[in-house]
Amino acid sequence: MESWKRLFNASIWNTHCKSVGAASLCSTSPCLNTRRGRGLSSQSCEPDSVQKGKAKELLAERDFFFSVLNASATKRDAKSYLSRFNNGRNLSKGNYVGAGRHVSLVRIRAVNLLSDVTIRGLVQTFSQLTKLGIGCIIVTDQGDDGLTDSLKSSVDSREAAVAVAERLVRALQQEPTVSARRLDDAFGTTVLSGPDPASVPVRGEVEVQYPSLLRETLKSGTIPVIPPLSFSTDTQAAHMVNPDSILLALVRALSGWKSPTDALEQKDHSESQSSMPNAGLVLDRIIVLDPLGGIPSLRRPNRAHVFVNLEQEYQDIRSELLVQAEESSDSSTNDLQVPQQRFPNFDANQLIQEQTSPTIGGFSRFSLDRHVQNLDLLNQSLSILPPSASAILTTAEEAATLTSEADKSIDIEVRTRRPKNPLIFNLLTDKPLISSSLPLARLSTPTTHPITTPVGATLIKRGMPLTLIPDPRTHPWTPPTDPSTNTLTLENPRIDLPRLITLIEDSFSRPLDVNHYLSRIRNRTAGLIIAGAYEGGAILTWELPPHVADDGSPASQARLVPYLDKFAVLKRSQGAGGVADIVFSAMVRTCFPEGVCWRSRRGNPVNKWYFERSVGTWKVEGTGWSMFWTTEGLSRERWRDYEAVCRSVKPSWADGKEVLD
């Protein structure tokens, strides 16, 4: 805990205390220096009781930050979080509007089916998010986003939607540090004429018609709770809308896109551009809480995709889900179209079990279609936002998990170890709860839960494109039958060699002997993996063990070792953005699914990361190298080949230093 105090006092806490005129509170002692006989502080005109009250409040807030950071983040994660959210202000006061204020959009599906215990847990989570510097805008529904036209205009449906939102507002208002209000009159519906040629959803029928209502609510530090209601811009008649439309309208407004109603407002001078709700706001997170949980991965039964890089995986995952839905033998139409007034005693657990009922193909047709809708919603939302924005998809029960030891009064589930809250963890680390590059055996931990249990959390980012040269889908990375005919070189026109060299030298902090390196891997290159604009990458080669005759025979070619020669990430991208996970996952799951080996100096701090992702490791005797491999069932002969390669590969550095790479 002391290390966290030093880190925190060195960065955010001094600024935090100075911002309220109480720099002396940064010490570990709560005592205040006062003038004798006057009862006033030497730094202000406030009475001692007020000063001591502020001291107690600040110390309580500091203890909260310490406990959350200590439970959820490493030092590197904590420094990154503090650099993103420390703008010289008091984070925990909840005043979101101002320069660089952070906000999240929260979409809670089927609020009426959540238990009171889960609602209280969510309130605690929203309170913690507020203290950690990110505000919340909540969009609710009662699971009826597929209502018919008659139900959309039904008074009962609108009253049910308002009742669901009010239930959450009442729960939020019971938390001393949280203020909330229902906001259901800021949205307007306009029938659009003609198709929208844009590749991203820059306009929609539902838009924020009165942004000042949203802006003033946020400015007061109040959490807006928004039911899926909108008013026709022609008749001003209220009607139900798809909650996803409300969410997309908010994304457009908060990201600065002009809606079709903006011109009307400016023409009437009823709203100025400075009063748009995005003024001074940074939309960091989109959170979708769905009974079905994260996007299921068909490779790991009953588990979700841990991380989705939309640039690379969106089309593949979507197609996979649609094919699975078509193959499903379940023709059931059960869904969440159950307004509370029609089924007042509907059981949430029964609903989840019906939706995720196993079929021959796995999940039901409904649940797979719903997952596709969630994936499309988040893809559309993130396509509008900056690349730094992210989305997280999980269940309300997981989001209600508490992280602070002070919050033991609400216990969602009796467990041996208190689980981490995916929302809090992601805010602090900008990472998923589990690394996506871990071996599948470690991701798919044994569970006693049946397949009807919703899958876990999925972190989704726009991410970055991933370039594989050659493309394993058309040219599998297999040992060449004749190494002399291997024409792939780093001088290939598809490869930006100067940027690749810059990437390697920046990552290793050493100059590369380019000529020596190109000569060493000539006719040996298996392929390259390039993440984004050369933010990360890997160079893989086929290496022949020195004790095997290089005679080009089939026997010698069968002994070629798949070797990770260079694994590099730009320093500014290390530990953030998931660049290393993206590259490593592509290597072990797409390029070399049968296994690969590599070496690392024994004192390399990255070795712990390598160890977690490898099947085995070995200290190469007589050297400073540690060897790692991902090959399952490695034979003794093959292991000797691996060890010989890791021992014999010659480094190609230009500095002449006897330092292992």
Side-chain angles (χ1 to χ4, degrees):
M1 182 68 75
E2 288 301 321
S3 62
W4 287 110
K5 290 181 180 179
R6 287 194 297 271
L7 170 64
F8 208 62
N9 285 335
S11 53
I12 188 175
W13 199 252
N14 285 331
T15 305
H16 175 82
C17 294
K18 291 175 182 178
S19 67
V20 294
S24 61
L25 301 181
C26 293
S27 66
T28 56
S29 171
C31 299
L32 294 170
N33 295 323
T34 58
R35 296 180 182 179
R36 292 182 180 180
R38 293 191 181 185
L40 295 176
S41 167
S42 60
Q43 298 183 6
S44 74
C45 297
E46 294 176 335
D48 285 350
S49 59
V50 175
Q51 286 282 327
K52 290 179 179 179
K54 287 186 176 181
K56 185 176 181 180
E57 179 183 354
L58 286 171
L59 289 172
E61 291 174 2
R62 186 186 65 175
D63 289 341
F64 164 77
F65 278 101
F66 288 161
S67 64
V68 172
L69 287 171
N70 193 52
S72 301
T74 64
K75 284 187 177 181
R76 172 184 272 183
D77 294 332
K79 289 180 179 178
S80 176
Y81 158 74
L82 295 176
S83 68
R84 285 181 287 125
F85 286 86
N86 178 22
N87 290 336
R89 65 186 186 279
N90 186 348
L91 291 179
S92 64
K93 293 304 182 183
N95 296 321
Y96 310 138
V97 172
R101 301 295 183 178
H102 299 265
V103 69
S104 63
L105 289 180
V106 185
R107 160 86 153 90
I108 309 179
R109 185 168 167 80
V111 179
N112 56 309
L113 302 180
L114 300 179
S115 67
D116 291 339
V117 173
T118 300
I119 291 289
R120 291 199 300 272
L122 287 176
V123 169
Q124 293 282 344
T125 297
F126 296 148
S127 174
Q128 290 186 348
L129 289 174
T130 301
K131 291 179 180 179
L132 290 170
I134 188 166
C136 298
I137 302 173
I138 302 174
V139 179
T140 65
D141 74 41
Q142 64 268 39
D144 53 4
D145 49 312
L147 285 173
T148 62
D149 291 339
S150 60
L151 285 175
K152 285 181 180 179
S153 58
S154 167
V155 175
D156 290 339
S157 297
R158 297 200 301 272
E159 290 179 349
V162 170
V164 166
E166 279 296 330
R167 180 192 179 201
L168 187 58
V169 169
R170 289 194 300 270
L172 287 166
Q173 290 176 338
Q174 291 176 3
E175 176 67 21
T177 61
V178 174
S179 173
R181 62 161 291 194
R182 190 183 85 249
L183 188 66
D184 53 12
D185 48 5
F187 295 84
T189 303
T190 304
V191 178
L192 300 180
S193 59
D196 186 356
S199 59
V200 294
V202 297
R203 66 171 182 168
E205 291 189 347
V206 179
E207 296 291 347
V208 179
Q209 188 175 17
Y210 299 105
S212 61
L213 294 176
L214 182 60
R215 179 177 58 87
E216 293 302 321
T217 302
L218 293 170
K219 186 176 180 180
S220 65
T222 299
I223 295 178
V225 179
I226 303 171
L229 295 176
S230 182
F231 290 83
S232 170
T233 56
D234 296 331
T235 65
Q236 294 301 308
H239 57 276
M240 299 281 291
V241 294
N242 190 319
D244 292 350
S245 300
I246 295 287
L247 185 74
L248 285 171
L250 288 167
V251 171
R252 285 189 290 268
L254 294 171
S255 63
W257 287 99
K258 291 185 178 182
S259 70
T261 58
D262 290 345
L264 268 173
E265 290 186 349
Q266 291 181 7
K267 182 179 179 180
D268 296 337
H269 303 285
S270 58
E271 297 277 359
S272 66
Q273 188 65 26
S274 62
S275 67
M276 288 300 293
N278 66 303
L281 288 173
V282 178
L283 179 53
D284 280 297
R285 300 287 189 278
I286 299 175
I287 301 167
V288 176
L289 306 181
D290 192 302
L292 299 179
I295 305 295
S297 172
L298 303 185
R299 295 177 304 174
R300 292 180 274 115
N302 202 31
R303 301 296 299 175
H305 281 279
V306 173
F307 171 71
V308 173
N309 175 14
L310 290 172
E311 286 279 359
Q312 174 200 359
E313 301 176 283
Y314 169 68
Q315 291 296 342
D316 290 341
I317 294 176
R318 191 177 192 278
S319 298
E320 184 180 67
L321 293 173
L322 289 175
V323 169
Q324 184 76 356
E326 289 296 328
E327 294 177 352
S328 174
S329 61
D330 183 10
S331 59
S332 171
T333 58
N334 55 0
D335 53 28
L336 284 176
Q337 299 178 21
V338 284
Q340 188 176 20
Q341 70 273 17
R342 292 191 291 162
F343 297 94
N345 298 317
F346 202 89
D347 180 64
N349 293 326
Q350 176 188 350
L351 178 67
I352 294 172
Q353 184 168 353
E354 288 182 4
Q355 291 173 11
T356 57
S357 58
T359 68
I360 296 176
F363 289 102
S364 70
R365 173 63 183 265
F366 164 79
S367 62
L368 291 168
D369 286 342
R370 182 62 205 174
H371 285 305
V372 172
Q373 293 175 32
N374 285 336
L375 184 64
D376 289 344
L377 170 67
L378 297 178
N379 180 59
Q380 292 174 18
S381 300
L382 293 175
S383 68
I384 301 174
L385 298 174
S388 58
S390 62
I392 187 165
L393 177 60
T394 187
T395 65
E397 288 72 20
E398 288 294 324
T401 303
L402 303 177
T403 59
S404 173
E405 290 297 320
D407 297 326
K408 291 183 178 179
S409 58
I410 303 175
D411 198 2
I412 305 300
E413 185 177 344
V414 178
R415 305 185 186 186
T416 303
R417 178 181 295 178
R418 184 174 292 274
K420 295 179 180 179
N421 185 303
L423 307 189
I424 302 297
F425 184 86
N426 174 250
L427 175 65
L428 296 175
T429 66
D430 198 29
K431 300 175 184 177
L433 277 173
I434 304 172
S435 173
S436 59
S437 62
L438 285 172
L440 296 181
R442 298 186 182 181
L443 290 175
S444 302
T445 54
T447 177
T448 57
H449 296 295
I451 197 170
T452 54
T453 303
V455 293
T458 299
L459 175 64
I460 301 177
K461 291 187 176 183
R462 188 197 301 179
M464 60 190 67
L466 192 69
T467 304
L468 306 180
I469 304 175
D471 188 343
R473 291 174 292 186
T474 57
H475 297 83
W477 293 17
T478 55
T481 55
D482 183 0
S484 63
T485 62
N486 187 354
T487 59
L488 179 61
T489 67
L490 298 189
E491 293 98 335
N492 188 293
R494 291 178 293 173
I495 300 171
D496 190 336
L497 183 58
R499 297 185 73 175
L500 181 62
I501 294 172
T502 299
L503 166 63
I504 294 172
E505 294 182 341
D506 179 81
S507 179
F508 287 88
S509 299
R510 301 183 70 182
L512 184 70
D513 186 338
V514 178
N515 292 330
H516 180 274
Y517 185 65
L518 293 178
S519 176
R520 194 195 75 75
I521 67 172
R522 184 168 287 113
N523 297 330
R524 298 175 182 269
T525 309
L528 278 79
I529 304 171
I530 301 170
Y534 288 79
E535 295 178 56
I539 302 174
L540 296 109
T541 59
W542 293 108
E543 302 290 344
L544 190 67
H547 58 271
V548 177
D550 188 7
D551 55 10
S553 66
S556 67
Q557 298 311 303
R559 302 287 291 276
L560 287 172
V561 171
Y563 180 70
L564 172 59
D565 190 86
K566 289 288 184 287
F567 185 84
V569 178
L570 290 176
K571 280 189 169 56
R572 61 180 171 82
S573 299
Q574 292 176 5
V579 177
D581 284 328
I582 291 172
V583 174
F584 194 90
S585 296
M587 177 183 72
V588 299
R589 295 176 188 169
T590 305
C591 302
F592 281 135
E594 300 301 321
V596 63
C597 76
W598 67 95
R599 69 184 186 184
S600 174
R601 57 183 172 82
R602 292 183 187 175
N604 191 341
V606 184
N607 284 351
K608 179 179 182 295
W609 192 87
Y610 286 150
F611 179 81
E612 293 171 342
R613 287 152 182 80
S614 63
V615 170
T617 182
W618 178 260
K619 293 181 180 179
V620 182
E621 186 177 352
T623 72
W625 299 112
S626 289
M627 177 177 73
F628 300 87
W629 66 90
T630 63
T631 310
E632 297 282 355
L634 192 66
S635 67
R636 181 173 293 273
E637 181 184 51
R638 195 59 169 162
W639 180 88
R640 289 196 184 101
D641 290 346
Y642 282 15
E643 196 265 357
V645 166
C646 290
R647 180 188 295 273
S648 62
V649 169
K650 301 298 182 183
S652 300
W653 300 111
D655 53 14
K657 297 180 181 178
E658 294 295 328
V659 180
L660 301 179
D661 54 349

